[in-house]
Amino acid sequence: MPELLQATLLTLAASAGVIRLGIARRGYGEPYQPALFCVQLAFALAAGTGACAVAQLAFGFDTLEARRWLLQATLLLGFPLIGTVALTLARHWTWSRPSWGRMVLGLCAFFELARQLGWSEPYALGLGLGSASLVLYAGLVQWPARLPTGAGMLGCVLMLAALPWPMLFADYQLLCLGLACLPLASLLPNLRNNSNERVEKRPHKRHSAP
């Protein structure tokens, strides 16, 4: 598939994810707002990666360095945020704004450190494996709801495919990243609601009289 088409798909899919999550935030209370903002940031980084690639490939703008930086930020900051948010929503955990802020700052610090030391690819592989595993877990705990479970499994596979594996999927990284945005944008806004419905539908055990 031409790289320009991949970049266009990534831009559209990630931008749609930002909008989808922005709409979904209205149905969540204040404790969940920082988590959803963090995952919007992750999608925005992916959209920026695609937009820079489109600007370079279609219009000849000198955005190659910005594109590379945003791609690294998507893998080293965006993926861990997506994985962590998926876990917290699936488990009904609520973290304060300062906690999320410290996490973002810590990820940014390690991202820059890995970039300066030339360890971006192995660091991205390690973070990506952990992040994809968290997304898979968040999807599996939604069972027997098939749609979120399937979205979690598909999102996990596509996240893994988008990682910088040596000589593997290198020509289709933008495509895999764009396709990953679709199931993730479907899964993340509904994790808490699906978990609540599962708890409500769980039959209560009857206690026999002594």
Side-chain angles (χ1 to χ4, degrees):
M1 179 181 290
E3 193 175 12
L4 177 58
L5 184 57
Q6 296 184 48
T8 303
L9 174 62
L10 171 58
T11 304
L12 295 176
S15 299
V18 173
I19 296 171
R20 171 74 178 89
L21 288 159
I23 295 173
R25 285 180 64 182
R26 301 174 186 174
Y28 280 75
E30 176 60 28
Y32 294 97
Q33 293 300 316
L36 293 172
F37 173 80
C38 286
V39 83
Q40 275 188 290
L41 173 62
F43 277 85
L45 290 171
T49 302
C52 286
V54 170
Q56 177 199 358
L57 298 169
F59 304 106
F61 293 147
D62 186 15
T63 58
L64 181 59
E65 287 302 318
R67 169 186 169 181
R68 288 174 176 171
W69 188 91
L70 284 168
L71 178 58
Q72 288 183 340
T74 301
L75 300 178
L76 301 181
L77 175 61
F79 272 19
L81 287 176
I82 288 174
T84 306
V85 170
L87 175 65
T88 57
L89 292 179
R91 300 298 300 174
H92 301 276
W93 295 341
T94 55
W95 295 356
S96 65
R97 289 181 183 271
S99 297
W100 283 109
R102 286 191 290 269
M103 180 179 178
V104 171
L105 290 176
L107 287 171
C108 288
F110 283 108
F111 160 46
E112 184 60 24
L113 179 62
R115 194 173 71 89
Q116 292 294 333
L117 295 175
W119 296 346
S120 293
E121 289 193 2
Y123 182 53
L125 287 174
L127 278 182
L129 286 170
S131 303
S133 298
L134 292 178
V135 169
L136 177 62
Y137 170 79
L140 291 177
V141 297
Q142 306 306 307
W143 183 262
R146 295 182 180 179
L147 183 60
T149 301
M153 296 173 66
L154 182 58
C156 170
V157 170
L158 291 170
M159 286 175 71
L160 292 175
L163 295 178
W165 301 102
M167 304 301 293
L168 186 65
F169 302 119
D171 295 334
Y172 300 98
Q173 188 175 28
L174 296 182
L175 174 63
C176 293
L177 188 56
L179 293 177
C181 291
L182 300 176
L184 292 174
S186 172
L187 172 69
L188 293 167
N190 296 310
L191 279 175
R192 187 198 61 170
N193 295 333
N194 287 327
S195 297
N196 287 341
E197 291 174 3
R198 191 175 66 255
V199 171
E200 291 171 0
K201 292 179 181 179
R202 184 179 300 167
H204 296 282
K205 293 182 180 180
R206 294 183 179 179
H207 299 278
S208 58

